[in-house]
Amino acid sequence: MTIMKFIHLTDTHLVADAGVLYGTNPKQRLQQAVTHMLAHQPDAQAVVITGDLTHYGHAQAYVHLRECLAPLTMPVYPILGNHDSRQEFRHHFAHIDTDENGFVQYARDFGSYLALFLDTNEPGVHWGVYCETRANWLRARLAESSKPVLLFMHHPFFPIGIRSMDALSLLDTAAFFDAIEGFEHRIRQVFFGHIHRPICGTFRGMGYST
């Protein structure tokens, strides 16, 4: 099996004025992370950012995000979180693929793995939504490949035991579980964001981490 090294970032929460948010500066933190990656992880083959790229979804925040990521020499694969604007993201990151319905969902080969990037953003709410339309795309991608799978999404699809966060996770999971039914044994790891805490484990035999 081909090994691929990638870096998982999440919840960068950039703001339009590149200033302070809740006592820290998100742009400076991301710039520090990029500097660290280039100095200490130059062999990484990709960077994934699992949502909440910005805090308010403002256009200028995505400009700052592109500026921060520009020094990276490896591909960057972002997805949306509940704080993001799909419209602004698609304008400023037009090179990132979408599915046939305009959701920011796409597939990539990560070494011997199939990486699937999901869109759980729903305008106007902070909990995750994964509708039947999005789930149909996921099931089709799972069905057309025999590779082991890595899933990337913003919202966790199961309760993690923190009540305040569980209320804002993927609330209606029926379409998601219908999509992955029969393929769980091939889903080797799920990477998500949203929780702002380091957590890992397994759920229904699928590894997860954030």
Side-chain angles (χ1 to χ4, degrees):
M1 178 166 289
T2 305
I3 301 299
M4 176 175 174
K5 176 179 178 178
F6 64 91
I7 294 170
H8 176 202
L9 300 179
T10 193
D11 293 83
T12 48
H13 285 274
L14 270 68
V15 292
D17 65 358
V20 172
L21 179 71
Y22 302 127
T24 63
N25 188 298
K27 184 175 183 180
Q28 288 181 1
R29 282 185 152 192
L30 181 55
Q31 288 171 323
Q32 290 168 344
V34 167
T35 298
H36 182 90
M37 285 186 281
L38 291 173
H40 300 285
Q41 308 293 339
D43 59 335
Q45 295 166 265
V47 174
V48 179
I49 313 178
T50 50
D52 281 359
L53 310 169
T54 71
H55 193 68
Y56 299 109
H58 293 159
Q60 190 60 33
Y62 291 103
V63 174
H64 291 306
L65 180 63
R66 291 196 65 168
E67 178 187 338
C68 290
L69 299 176
L72 290 173
T73 56
M74 67 287 285
V76 179
Y77 300 109
I79 55 174
L80 301 183
N82 49 287
H83 282 270
D84 288 305
S85 162
R86 189 178 291 111
Q87 178 179 350
E88 292 294 344
F89 174 84
R90 292 187 61 184
H91 176 72
H92 292 281
F93 286 79
H95 63 287
I96 299 297
D97 290 342
T98 59
D99 68 15
E100 61 272 21
N101 295 291
F103 293 110
V104 182
Q105 302 199 126
Y106 52 99
R108 291 291 184 274
D109 288 324
F110 270 29
S112 299
Y113 292 85
L114 174 67
L116 298 177
F117 300 86
L118 310 185
D119 185 339
T120 59
N121 170 282
E122 186 71 14
V125 302
H126 284 295
W127 55 85
V129 173
Y130 205 67
C131 61
E132 186 174 349
T133 299
R134 282 173 265 198
N136 287 339
W137 178 91
L138 171 58
R139 188 163 185 85
R141 301 293 79 74
L142 291 169
E144 68 189 12
S145 172
S146 60
K147 286 186 170 186
V149 174
L150 306 176
L151 287 185
F152 297 91
M153 56 200 301
H154 182 68
H155 295 85
F157 56 92
F158 57 90
I160 61 167
I162 302 174
R163 188 173 301 174
S164 59
M165 299 307 299
D166 289 341
L168 298 175
S169 293
L170 193 66
L171 295 190
D172 185 352
T173 59
F176 175 80
F177 282 119
D178 285 347
I180 68 171
E181 184 179 4
F183 298 106
E184 294 93 337
H185 65 287
R186 283 179 37 219
I187 299 175
R188 302 298 170 81
Q189 190 78 9
V190 183
F191 300 86
F192 54 85
H194 194 53
I195 305 302
H196 292 243
R197 295 163 177 86
I199 301 173
C200 62
T202 59
F203 182 81
R204 296 190 181 181
M206 297 175 285
Y208 67 84
S209 61
T210 182

